[in-house]
Amino acid sequence: MIVGSAMVESVLLVLKVAFLVLLYLVIWRILRAASREVRIGGGAGQESMILSPQQARRLLVNATLLPAGKLVVMDSPTLEPGSLRSIGNVPMTIGRANENDLVLPGDQFASTLHARLDPRPDGVWLEDVGSTNGTFVNSVLLTGAVRLEAGDLVRVGETEFRFEP
């Protein structure tokens, strides 16, 4: 009997040691994975710090507090010639509707939503957004977005502006 109980005790001792080794191995793997996640910056619940080009551009544009430029009214059926319209650091729309940032209420040749000015780090870009009569820069019809230069003449409907950075 003593031989049988000694055998059972030695088997139990081996099982206890094996269990403790496995337990320590599992804890070590968990700690290793957690430390890797902390070093890499991953982990559940964290938002990605990778920005799309549009998000990066908005951050850059919003970081500058100075206006991107201004439009001087040269000729208009509704706006006072010589008056200034400041271009901020966020995109702005031009058109007849009151929802636009720059409203041309009495200009019958301007569309409800006519054009968009988009300040970017490399300058102010103008784009026609599907107007009926088109948007012109220096008497040239826009077919895509164009970067405005100092002194450019912009025509939206019957209203003409001069761009000044």
Side-chain angles (χ1 to χ4, degrees):
M1 279 290 226
I2 293 182
V3 174
S5 76
M7 185 73 144
V8 170
E9 283 186 28
S10 62
V11 169
L12 286 176
L13 181 62
V14 168
L15 287 175
K16 286 180 186 178
V17 169
F19 176 75
L20 285 175
V21 167
L22 284 173
L23 182 64
Y24 283 119
L25 183 63
V26 167
I27 291 172
W28 177 76
R29 296 279 308 232
I30 290 171
L31 290 175
R32 186 172 148 207
S35 68
R36 182 178 301 142
E37 287 291 316
V38 169
R39 270 183 287 149
I40 294 174
Q46 282 190 333
E47 293 184 23
S48 174
M49 289 303 294
I50 299 173
L51 300 176
S52 70
Q54 292 83 10
Q55 291 170 323
R57 187 183 56 173
R58 282 191 201 108
L59 286 176
L60 285 173
V61 168
N62 291 337
T64 59
L65 298 176
L66 299 174
K70 57 189 167 194
L71 295 174
V72 180
V73 179
M74 303 303 290
D75 186 32
S76 175
T78 59
L79 302 176
E80 184 69 32
S83 62
L84 300 175
R85 298 295 189 258
S86 182
I87 302 169
N89 292 318
V90 294
M92 63 184 287
T93 57
I94 304 171
R96 240 184 18 242
N98 289 333
E99 293 81 27
N100 290 295
D101 300 302
L102 178 52
V103 181
L104 307 171
D107 191 337
Q108 297 303 315
F109 289 92
S111 295
T112 306
L113 175 60
H114 197 101
R116 180 176 54 240
L117 285 164
D118 190 9
R120 301 178 188 172
D122 61 341
V124 176
W125 291 73
L126 176 67
E127 180 180 16
D128 186 275
V129 289
S131 68
T132 304
N133 295 316
T135 303
F136 295 83
V137 175
N138 299 324
S139 299
V140 176
L141 179 65
L142 290 184
T143 56
V146 65
R147 188 176 64 156
L148 295 177
E149 301 291 335
D152 279 348
L153 295 176
V154 175
R155 192 177 74 202
V156 174
E158 289 185 305
T159 303
E160 189 170 50
F161 301 98
R162 183 180 72 239
F163 174 71
E164 294 181 2

